[in-house]
Amino acid sequence: MKPFVINRYGRLVFPANFLGDLDFSVLETLEQFAAVIGRDFEAKAPTGTDILARVESGAYPGRFELLRDLGQNLYWVNRYAITMFDKRPTRWRDLARHREDVFLPVLRPWEDSERKVAAVEHAFRALPATWDADTENRVFDLLFDLFRTKLHHATELPAIKPTVAEFLAQPGALTFVMPGYDPDYPVFRTEDIIDAHESVPELEALMRWAMVLHNQYPWDRSRTELRGADGIGDDDFVVAFHPRNRDVLAFIDRVKPSGRAGAGQDTAARREPAEPVEGVEGVEAVAPATPYPPVRVREAFAIQPKFEALAIVRGEHVCDNDDVIRNASPSWSPMSASEISAKTGIEQRRYTSREPEQLALHAARAALAKSGRSAADIGAILVSTCTSNRQIPSTACWLSGELGLLQTHASVDMVAACAGLPYGMAEAIRQLQEVARPVLLVCVEKFSDKIGNVRTSRMIFGDGAAAMVIGPAPAGEAGDVEVVQTYASGPYSEVNSIIWPNSEFDGDITVYGPEVKSLVQRYLVQMLEELGAQPDPDDPGRTLLDSIELIIPHQANKTMILNLAAKAGLSAGQLYFNVERMGNVSAASIPIAVYDAVRDGVIARPARVFAPGFGAGAVGGYAVMRIDPAIVADEEVLGIAGDSGGSAPSRAAGGTSDDIHAAFGG
């Protein structure tokens, strides 16, 4: 888990984005490490030669772009030190010679450095300030002091450093040497970095980069040289590299050939991606022998489902697009807050400091209170989640105990990701047939601590929970669900379009956009075709699709969904979104959006809603259901930070609620 923190200014800060901490316990090979380093430190980073070429060609329009390049270059230079080692200047006479956990970097001198350094300094002075000259000067002073005193090439660094004994055995090997060392050399505390506070989000991110990079060299760099072992005096200081923790040391032991490190070529830089496992990616996906028809609930089941309550809990912290930019990682391409909005349709997302099961419990209690049911009335508890932090007991079983249920027919978690609501609803209806008493369905997700420094995921995902009490309808009364449908699988690339944990991204959740778009389009077309072929149970003369009054899709990426919906013949006015304020809450996104559609007045009377969901694992599903505004519980706002508007409902895709009612003739 990589949680956010709230700094002294009340701002969200994501330490994983700039501190360079990696989880080495999940890395088994240098190839895996190479993938992480390549994506986090190398893919976007220019070399010194690249920066020189851009300066000489006039490619920098202002200071910000040059500062970004300097910062990314210096993170790349420090890609192994910052992730693996603590640097400890040590007197040569006091340095252990035969320990397996003390290392020395072997470095090659940086040729043509004077030309590159002079060009960068001249360019910065000549370029116009982008936003704030004072802040940009302070960032430049920190970064340039490192750039101008850099002594070595970065392209051919070995990931695994040689031990001191191995260094001594390499003729001509050079390392950092300094005549003295001040242990009180000033560095930035972690609190200083967390509390960086600049008026321009982009510059706040750069200031954090500069502070972290400054701390990589806590000594007088102007007096540092590269020397071989025969040129190091007993009272000279060298920079010893010590593994940051036990996991790093264990990783080194795993990957060193014959238990020894070499000082050869960079084992993780500029490496091609690993070849796919033979016979996996190339497997042909075949269609089922016969299609799986939608489940027509009135016809298939004796006990009809009745919605008795819907309650939600939002994350208490607002993370807007400026917060995302303030925390930009060196691995990101430049993007502004407005560009995030244009790309995703998201202005902000909600995060929580609480555990996901706590969100689930709060929503469950609120739904039970709204329904008027006691714990003794509940026959089963179902939890749809793909981000639970617990395995045993499951969140559903834990909820059963917290709610005081002595026994249920079933308390079980389901991993159906963004199709969590239709999957959960389908299982709740089946449970109703067996227990003939209310089922509590909870959809809950917490992504904010599982994103790390992956920008695509950070832009999209949020935290929240929703709980529904689904009871048996009175005999002879129509239920609230007309049709449910679920799917899973697809082509290999779509099944693996969203992965968590992903070892190639340090265990973070990752999203492969083109594959996600492909599976959404495939499922959306299939869903509409199925509904177009189903008769309306209340009016056989028209299709079920024609009877839909409102579409509340999984709140994934508003821009993507609208584009795909348009290709499928749907207008923006037919769809409701709250994603601009909530982000993508996966399994919880549809029920929270249903809740907001009621609070927004879009659903002002009982209405037939089509709720499609699709996502990770190439899962998909939908429900056609009747939503009565009366089931919605009052929302209890728990310390929401940074949102002057409180929990005000969002606007719909097509504009005002009147626009949507007009689109459906309401």
Side-chain angles (χ1 to χ4, degrees):
M1 303 298 106
K2 298 176 181 176
F4 62 86
V5 298
I6 307 297
N7 71 9
R8 61 183 294 214
Y9 299 102
R11 286 182 175 173
L12 289 164
V13 181
F14 316 136
N17 283 21
F18 48 82
L19 291 182
D21 293 328
L22 298 181
D23 182 2
F24 281 84
S25 68
V26 302
L27 297 173
E28 293 296 330
T29 67
L30 277 176
E31 286 73 22
Q32 288 178 310
F33 185 42
V36 175
I37 291 297
R39 294 178 187 275
D40 286 1
F41 294 91
E42 185 177 81
K44 307 295 182 184
T47 65
T49 301
D50 294 333
I51 294 175
L52 176 63
R54 292 171 190 177
V55 166
E56 292 180 339
S57 65
Y60 291 114
R63 291 180 171 181
F64 171 69
E65 291 78 12
L66 177 56
L67 290 173
R68 267 188 58 90
D69 273 5
L70 276 179
Q72 289 179 313
N73 172 267
L74 290 167
Y75 264 100
W76 171 62
V77 169
N78 288 276
R79 58 195 178 275
Y80 303 127
I82 205 170
T83 54
M84 301 180 72
F85 300 104
D86 290 327
K87 296 177 179 177
R88 302 179 192 173
T90 306
R91 198 182 306 272
W92 183 243
R93 70 167 76 244
D94 299 328
L95 187 68
R97 298 299 199 267
H98 303 291
R99 282 177 53 173
E100 294 293 322
D101 61 346
V102 181
F103 305 90
L104 284 177
V106 173
L107 307 165
R108 183 164 70 85
W110 187 25
E111 298 94 354
D112 199 23
S113 60
E114 295 85 355
R115 179 185 173 200
K116 294 171 183 174
V117 168
V120 166
E121 182 173 24
H122 179 268
F124 181 81
R125 306 300 180 199
L127 286 168
T130 306
W131 291 294
D132 181 332
D134 177 64
T135 302
E136 291 164 24
N137 283 329
R138 287 187 286 121
V139 172
F140 179 74
D141 288 344
L142 286 169
L143 294 177
F144 185 67
D145 192 47
L146 302 177
F147 188 75
R148 70 180 178 83
T149 55
K150 184 166 74 76
L151 299 174
H152 62 90
H153 271 284
T155 303
E156 297 177 355
L157 291 175
I160 309 302
K161 312 302 180 189
T163 64
V164 179
E166 290 164 347
F167 169 78
L168 292 172
Q170 294 182 35
L174 304 178
T175 195
F176 290 122
V177 181
M178 61 193 80
Y181 168 64
D182 176 8
D184 291 323
Y185 190 87
V187 295
F188 295 102
R189 301 173 305 158
T190 300
E191 292 81 1
D192 298 328
I193 301 170
I194 297 295
D195 290 337
H197 186 80
E198 305 296 339
S199 58
V200 179
E202 287 85 350
L203 296 183
E204 186 169 309
L206 287 187
M207 182 60 75
R208 288 198 177 95
W209 294 8
M211 296 164 83
V212 170
L213 290 164
H214 169 87
N215 285 0
Q216 285 294 305
Y217 301 90
W219 58 80
D220 184 353
R221 294 175 294 277
S222 67
R223 303 180 66 196
T224 306
E225 301 175 357
L226 296 183
R227 295 187 207 163
D230 56 358
I232 305 174
D234 282 348
D235 290 325
D236 288 332
F237 284 77
V238 296
V239 181
F241 279 35
H242 293 255
R244 296 182 68 171
N245 52 49
R246 292 179 181 177
D247 287 339
V248 172
L249 182 58
F251 171 76
I252 292 172
D253 289 340
R254 283 196 297 274
V255 302
K256 284 196 306 185
S258 302
R260 291 290 182 267
Q265 297 297 305
D266 186 341
T267 53
R270 314 292 179 187
R271 183 182 293 275
E272 292 298 321
E275 290 295 321
V277 178
E278 184 176 357
V280 174
E281 190 167 359
V283 172
E284 181 181 359
V286 297
T290 58
Y292 302 109
V295 178
R296 295 177 64 87
V297 176
R298 290 191 197 180
E299 301 163 13
F301 297 105
I303 298 177
Q304 296 297 297
K306 185 77 172 178
F307 298 148
E308 297 183 1
L310 169 62
I312 72 164
V313 179
R314 306 177 202 270
E316 67 271 17
H317 300 290
V318 172
C319 175
D320 64 22
N321 291 343
D322 279 342
D323 289 317
V324 175
I325 299 303
R326 286 189 186 97
N327 288 277
S329 165
S331 64
W332 294 3
S333 298
M335 180 175 276
S336 67
S338 60
E339 287 171 333
I340 292 176
S341 178
K343 187 176 183 66
T344 67
I346 300 171
E347 300 288 344
Q348 61 185 40
R349 63 290 296 150
R350 293 296 184 93
Y351 290 164
T352 185
S353 299
R354 291 167 284 171
E355 294 302 314
E357 62 264 28
Q358 293 173 316
L359 295 181
L361 178 60
H362 185 81
R365 284 174 171 161
L368 286 176
K370 174 64 177 178
S371 70
R373 297 288 189 173
S374 70
D377 296 323
I378 300 301
I381 294 181
L382 307 174
V383 174
S384 285
T385 182
C386 61
T387 56
S388 175
N389 295 339
R390 62 168 59 246
Q391 295 296 319
I392 301 174
S394 67
T395 300
C397 287
W398 182 86
L399 279 177
S400 299
E402 292 294 316
L403 293 172
L405 281 74
L406 181 61
Q407 188 174 31
T408 64
H409 181 60
S411 292
V412 63
D413 291 0
M414 295 176 291
V415 180
C418 303
L421 180 72
Y423 266 76
M425 193 166 292
E427 182 58 27
I429 294 169
R430 286 190 285 267
Q431 289 289 327
L432 276 177
Q433 312 311 306
E434 298 179 13
V435 299
R437 64 184 69 184
V439 174
L440 177 62
L441 171 61
V442 181
C443 299
V444 59
E445 304 287 11
K446 181 178 179 180
F447 284 97
S448 57
D449 60 351
K450 301 168 183 69
I451 295 172
N453 62 6
V454 181
R455 188 189 69 184
T456 50
S457 303
R458 181 63 69 184
M459 292 191 302
I460 293 172
F461 291 111
D463 306 337
M468 300 183 75
V469 176
I470 305 174
E477 183 177 317
D480 287 327
V481 182
E482 304 291 354
V483 168
V484 289
Q485 174 68 295
T486 57
Y487 322 105
S489 200
Y492 173 93
S493 59
E494 292 182 11
V495 170
N496 293 280
S497 60
I498 304 175
I499 301 174
W500 178 70
N502 187 346
S503 61
E504 291 195 0
F505 284 83
D506 193 37
D508 301 328
I509 189 169
T510 49
V511 179
Y512 299 92
E515 289 78 9
V516 173
K517 183 177 179 181
S518 175
L519 78 88
V520 172
Q521 184 166 12
R522 174 169 64 91
Y523 278 144
L524 187 59
V525 169
Q526 183 176 353
M527 292 172 182
L528 294 177
E529 288 178 348
E530 289 180 358
L531 291 181
Q534 294 288 318
D536 178 353
D538 296 321
D539 183 359
R542 64 175 180 174
T543 68
L544 192 57
L545 181 60
D546 291 334
S547 75
I548 301 300
E549 297 178 82
L550 184 65
I551 302 172
I552 302 181
H554 162 52
Q555 308 289 301
N557 176 317
K558 184 176 179 180
T559 303
M560 177 185 71
I561 296 295
L562 285 174
N563 289 339
L564 294 177
K567 291 180 180 178
L570 301 175
S571 70
Q574 294 174 280
L575 289 86
Y576 174 85
F577 289 91
N578 69 346
V579 68
E580 61 268 24
R581 290 179 57 83
M582 284 298 299
N584 177 348
V585 202
S586 191
S589 75
I590 292 175
I592 293 176
V594 169
Y595 186 102
D596 280 349
V598 171
R599 289 304 182 209
D600 199 23
V602 176
I603 300 177
R605 53 174 174 74
R608 183 172 282 173
V609 173
F610 167 45
F614 19 68
V619 294
Y622 60 85
V624 177
M625 53 192 178
R626 175 182 174 275
I627 298 296
D628 186 336
I631 68 170
V632 169
D634 291 335
E635 181 176 357
E636 183 180 350
V637 181
L638 298 180
I640 293 175
D643 182 11
S644 60
S647 58
S650 98
R651 295 297 178 191
T656 67
S657 58
D658 288 341
D659 293 333
I660 288 188
H661 285 309
F664 290 99

